[in-house]
């Protein structure tokens, strides 16, 4: 991360269009270093399109954004080197073991053999994957596959970690355990940017934004949002915020 970067992520009127369809519509926000920032919204709200732009995987149509101090238009390769990214779609090699997958991606990141060996053991320990280390990935339940996917996002020790729908499709216990891992990462000083359509997961974030049809309709910490809408849960906040913006 560059010395000039005061925030992990800075976004100003970022927009992405696909033909006549506007997937992300002039969104603006900033993410503090070491923050767990939640990007909430129903499926199709524009969360994944936004995160792909911020990760240097998709070029914006207009607007500005800097990630880890780097410009999304001109320094997207530097962004990729300074972030960890976990896609909502599991994309690791199912015919390799857990250990082999980690070692393979260590090579992709250009780590030395010694570094790969050390990081493999460190991640197996942190993610509690030792018992699964020599099992074929295809045989693992989805919750364990998600842990493996997270391990490959952490291999190069990035300061910012983007998690796109990381708990989608997993059981409630696995969801809770995954969030314990997120807490541990944030406690170590890493910035966590997480998209989700599970409103209860907003309770675990320092701040959350709510997206609807490509726009951010609310942005604050969960306590303030619940007070503002006289709500007991973030699900109620979400429903009220979207309804109010529709009026």
């Amino acid at each position: 991360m560059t010395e000039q970067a005061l925030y992990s992520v800075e976004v100003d009127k970022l927009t992405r269009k696909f033909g006549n369809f506007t997937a992300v519509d002039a969104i603006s926000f900033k993410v503090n270093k070491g923050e767990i920032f939640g990007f909430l919204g129903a499926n199709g709200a524009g969360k994944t399109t936004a995160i792909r732009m911020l990760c240097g995987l998709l070029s914006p149509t207009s607007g500005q954004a800097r990630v880890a101090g780097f410009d999304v238009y001109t320094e997207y390769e530097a962004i990729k080197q300074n972030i960890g990214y976990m896609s909502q779609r599991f994309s690791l090699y199912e015919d390799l073991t857990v250990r082999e997958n980690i070692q393979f991606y260590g090579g992709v990141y250009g780590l030395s053999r010694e570094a790969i060996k050390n990081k493999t053991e460190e991640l197996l320990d942190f993610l509690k994957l030792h018992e699964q280390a020599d099992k074929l990935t295809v045989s693992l339940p989805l919750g364990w596959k998600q842990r493996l996917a997270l391990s490959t996002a952490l291999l190069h020790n990035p300061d910012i970690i983007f998690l796109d729908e990381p708990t989608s499709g997993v059981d409630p216990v696995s969801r809770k355990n995954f969030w314990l891992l997120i807490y541990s990462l944030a406690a170590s000083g890493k910035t966590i940017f997480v998209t989700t359509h599970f409103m209860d997961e907003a309770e675990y974030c320092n701040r959350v934004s709510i997206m609807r049809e490509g726009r951010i309709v609310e942005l604050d910490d969960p306590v303030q949002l619940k007070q503002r809408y006289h709500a007991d849960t973030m699900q109620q906040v979400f429903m009220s915020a979207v309804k109010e913006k529709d009026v």
Side-chain angles (χ1 to χ4, degrees), residues 219-243:
L219 173 57
D220 211 332
D221 69 76
V223 172
Q224 292 295 323
L225 286 172
K226 285 188 289 185
Q227 290 178 351
R228 185 178 306 157
Y229 287 92
H230 307 287
D232 295 321
T233 67
M234 283 302 299
Q235 178 68 36
Q236 294 171 339
V237 169
F238 177 80
M239 297 304 295
S240 295
V242 171
K243 181 179 180 180

Side-chain angles (χ1 to χ4, degrees), residues 182-200:
I182 292 176
Y183 271 131
S184 296
L185 290 168
S188 71
K190 296 187 182 300
T191 301
I192 312 297
F193 191 112
V194 55
T195 72
T196 181
H197 62 270
F198 294 117
M199 295 302 124
D200 61 308

Side-chain angles (χ1 to χ4, degrees), residues 41-241:
N43 289 329
K47 304 185 306 298
T48 294
T49 299
I51 206 173
R52 285 178 61 82
M53 286 190 286
L54 296 177
C55 291
L57 301 173
L58 183 66
S59 180
T61 301
S62 62
Q64 302 295 324
R66 298 186 71 84
V67 177
F70 299 103
D71 184 87
V72 294
Y73 289 98
T74 61
E75 300 174 297
Y76 46 86
E77 290 300 332
I79 289 174
K80 293 175 186 177
Q81 295 169 10
N82 284 273
I83 66 169
Y85 173 63
M86 179 178 161
S87 170
Q88 62 177 267
R89 177 178 294 181
F90 185 76
S91 58
L92 303 184
Y93 293 96
E94 297 203 332
D95 56 344
L96 297 181
T97 67
V98 168
R99 188 187 304 276
E100 288 169 342
N101 259 300
I102 297 175
Q103 292 173 341
F104 172 78
Y105 277 90
V108 171
Y109 282 120
L111 303 182
S112 67
R113 288 187 179 181
E114 186 66 20
I116 291 174
K117 179 181 178 181
N118 292 336
K119 287 298 293 186
T120 298
E121 294 306 312
E122 177 185 325
L123 289 168
L124 288 174
D125 183 57
F126 173 67
L127 299 172
K128 297 179 172 59
L129 283 168
H130 274 293
E131 291 186 7
Q132 287 75 30
D134 298 310
K135 295 180 180 179
L136 287 177
T137 301
V138 69
S139 70
L140 299 178
L142 182 56
W144 290 107
K145 287 182 179 179
Q146 296 299 76
R147 289 185 180 224
L148 174 57
L150 178 60
S151 75
T152 62
L154 300 176
L155 267 167
H156 56 307
N157 196 32
D159 289 329
I160 308 173
I161 304 163
F162 286 87
L163 306 174
D164 190 11
E165 305 272 5
T167 59
S168 182
V170 304
D171 62 88
V173 174
S174 295
R175 282 178 60 199
K176 180 179 179 180
N177 289 334
F178 197 92
W179 272 92
L180 291 175
L181 294 173
I182 292 176
Y183 271 131
S184 296
L185 290 168
S188 71
K190 296 187 182 300
T191 301
I192 312 297
F193 191 112
V194 55
T195 72
T196 181
H197 62 270
F198 294 117
M199 295 302 124
D200 61 308
E201 293 188 346
E203 306 280 356
Y204 308 142
C205 301
N206 299 121
R207 284 189 305 145
V208 298
S209 68
I210 296 176
M211 287 194 73
R212 180 188 179 279
E213 295 182 350
R215 297 182 179 179
I216 292 178
V217 295
E218 278 294 357
L219 173 57
D220 211 332
D221 69 76
V223 172
Q224 292 295 323
L225 286 172
K226 285 188 289 185
Q227 290 178 351
R228 185 178 306 157
Y229 287 92
H230 307 287
D232 295 321
T233 67
M234 283 302 299
Q235 178 68 36
Q236 294 171 339
V237 169
F238 177 80
M239 297 304 295
S240 295

